[in-house]
Amino acid sequence: MKLEDAIAAHSAWKLRLRQFVDGRGDKLESKTVARDDACALGQWLHGDGQCHAARPEFAKLLKEHAQFHKTAGDVVRAIEMGNKSRAESLLASRGPFDLSSQATVDAILGLKRAAR
């Protein structure tokens, strides 16, 4: 797995969620979005990436990645429940999604550095 690809894919989620909140883009379901094992990074973390399981950086990435998907799922769930203002607050600059996204990217970079 190229960790740079994982960073790009997870960074693209903000636009994807923004479009969903605005009624454009892909149809998303909160149960699927909230799963941390459905994306390529998650599949790697729960599969081949286990070779790094002894590293503290791996544990941090596993935790941050799961939180990222939970927060993304919360955005979608808010729209499913008709609460656009909640979705907007989750997506706000320096809001929960931004913070979770940055923590995930930082954890990916941390594992990348440790695995060299």
Side-chain angles (χ1 to χ4, degrees):
M1 155 129 253
K2 287 188 173 186
L3 293 177
E4 296 82 11
D5 294 343
I7 291 171
H10 281 80
S11 296
W13 267 101
K14 180 143 189 177
L15 175 61
R16 196 171 177 198
L17 290 170
R18 165 61 39 217
Q19 290 174 336
F20 179 75
V21 168
D22 291 342
R24 304 177 285 122
D26 299 333
K27 169 71 176 125
L28 302 174
E29 294 182 359
S30 61
K31 284 194 279 187
T32 304
V33 171
R35 289 184 53 191
D36 74 329
D37 62 349
C39 69
L41 177 60
Q43 290 171 359
W44 181 80
L45 288 169
H46 293 283
D48 291 344
Q50 288 292 309
C51 65
H52 298 286
R55 298 178 189 271
E57 296 86 359
F58 181 85
K60 180 166 181 57
L61 175 53
L62 199 61
K63 177 181 154 265
E64 297 298 348
H65 183 251
Q67 182 60 45
F68 170 89
H69 278 280
K70 180 193 176 304
T71 305
D74 290 346
V75 172
V76 175
R77 190 171 302 103
I79 293 299
E80 290 171 346
M81 297 176 72
N83 192 345
K84 187 173 181 177
S85 64
R86 168 96 173 115
E88 294 282 359
S89 71
L90 289 166
L91 277 178
S93 181
R94 302 302 301 159
F97 180 80
D98 262 2
L99 296 175
S100 182
S101 180
Q102 187 58 55
T104 300
V105 169
D106 291 347
I108 291 169
L109 293 172
L111 179 61
K112 183 178 176 184
R113 280 190 300 273
R116 286 185 195 162

